[in-house]
């Protein structure tokens, strides 16, 4: 469809521009960022191709890890290991258990700001693939993904308060 901006490409879920971007950046750099953002299922040899740019991973990714990766953008470039609880208190209100979450700066605040803006376009711009995610009065950022023949469908995103990822499809 001709020349496109990155914003237009992400908003309407065009794959070719992101494959070209990964080709320019190099697979090693892209894999490095994915690992920093908590993606643990990468196969360094089998996922070394450009299909990684559009989610073509040998072992896939869990929704929990995807939510953690998206949260790193919502957290201004800081990855915080996902957890299912914030704390456990006894009957007197004394904290008896808190998670020891790993945190790591994975990108600059400036980069996170730009990516947030791009992902908000997917929700807010006409023709965006996640316009149904709008919530009045709340910033919502999201990205959809669909594999060939609809074997897999994803919706990943965040607000100022929560990050989440939903997947449905065939597990083989």
């Amino acid at each position: 469809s001709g020349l496109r901006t990155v914003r237009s490409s992400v908003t309407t879920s065009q794959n070719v521009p992101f494959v070209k971007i990964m080709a320019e950046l190099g697979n090693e750099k892209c894999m490095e960022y994915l690992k920093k953002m908590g993606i643990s299922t990468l196969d360094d040899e089998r996922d070394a191709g450009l299909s990684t740019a559009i989610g073509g991973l040998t072992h896939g990714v869990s929704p929990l890890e995807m939510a953690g990766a998206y949260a790193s953008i919502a957290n201004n470039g800081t990855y915080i290991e996902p957890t299912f609880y914030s704390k456990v208190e006894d009957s007197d209100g004394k904290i008896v258990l808190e998670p020891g979450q790993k945190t790591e700066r994975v990108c600059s605040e400036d980069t996170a700001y730009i990516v947030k803006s791009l992902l908000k376009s997917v929700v807010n711009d006409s023709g965006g693939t996640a316009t149904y995610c709008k919530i009045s009065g709340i910033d919502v950022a999201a990205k959809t993904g669909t594999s060939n023949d609809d074997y897999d469908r994803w919706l990943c995103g965040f607000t100022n308060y929560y990050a989440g990822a939903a997947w449905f499809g065939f597990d083989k």
Side-chain angles (χ1 to χ4, degrees):
S1 63
L3 296 176
R4 298 181 152 267
T5 64
V6 171
R7 183 173 306 279
S8 169
S9 298
V10 75
T11 299
T12 59
S13 203
Q14 302 301 307
N15 293 333
V16 172
F18 297 99
V19 171
K20 287 183 174 188
I21 289 169
M22 186 170 175
E24 277 193 45
L25 290 175
N27 193 58
E28 282 184 29
K29 182 57 75 180
C30 294
M31 297 280 274
E32 175 187 327
Y33 274 98
L34 288 170
K35 289 175 183 177
K36 283 183 179 181
M37 295 172 96
I39 307 302
S40 67
T41 55
L42 297 171
D43 183 314
D44 289 335
E45 290 179 24
R46 294 172 69 188
D47 294 332
L50 294 176
S51 63
T52 299
I54 56 173
L57 301 176
T58 304
H59 303 294
V61 179
S62 75
L64 180 64
E65 287 189 352
M66 286 294 279
Y70 273 77
S72 67
I73 301 303
N75 292 325
N76 300 317
T78 300
Y79 172 79
I80 303 171
E81 185 177 32
T83 184
F84 292 102
Y85 66 97
S86 56
K87 64 183 172 183
V88 177
E89 297 178 355
D90 66 15
S91 58
D92 296 323
K94 185 195 253 181
I95 297 172
V96 295
L97 183 63
E98 286 186 289
Q101 295 168 275
K102 170 187 141 187
T103 64
E104 178 182 355
R105 166 78 49 202
V106 295
C107 68
S108 71
E109 287 189 31
D110 292 342
T111 298
Y113 178 85
I114 292 167
V115 175
K116 277 184 197 182
S117 175
L118 292 169
L119 293 174
K120 287 179 191 177
S121 298
V122 180
V123 175
N124 296 322
D125 290 3
S126 174
T129 59
T131 56
Y132 51 85
C133 292
K134 283 183 189 174
I135 302 172
S136 181
I138 296 177
D139 283 335
V140 179
K143 179 69 183 85
T144 60
T146 307
S147 64
N148 291 350
D149 300 319
D150 290 327
Y151 279 102
D152 299 281
R153 286 183 172 232
W154 284 92
L155 175 65
C156 305
F158 53 86
T159 68
N160 292 333
Y161 306 101
Y162 300 102
W167 166 84
F168 73 93
F170 298 92
D171 60 356
K172 298 206 184 258

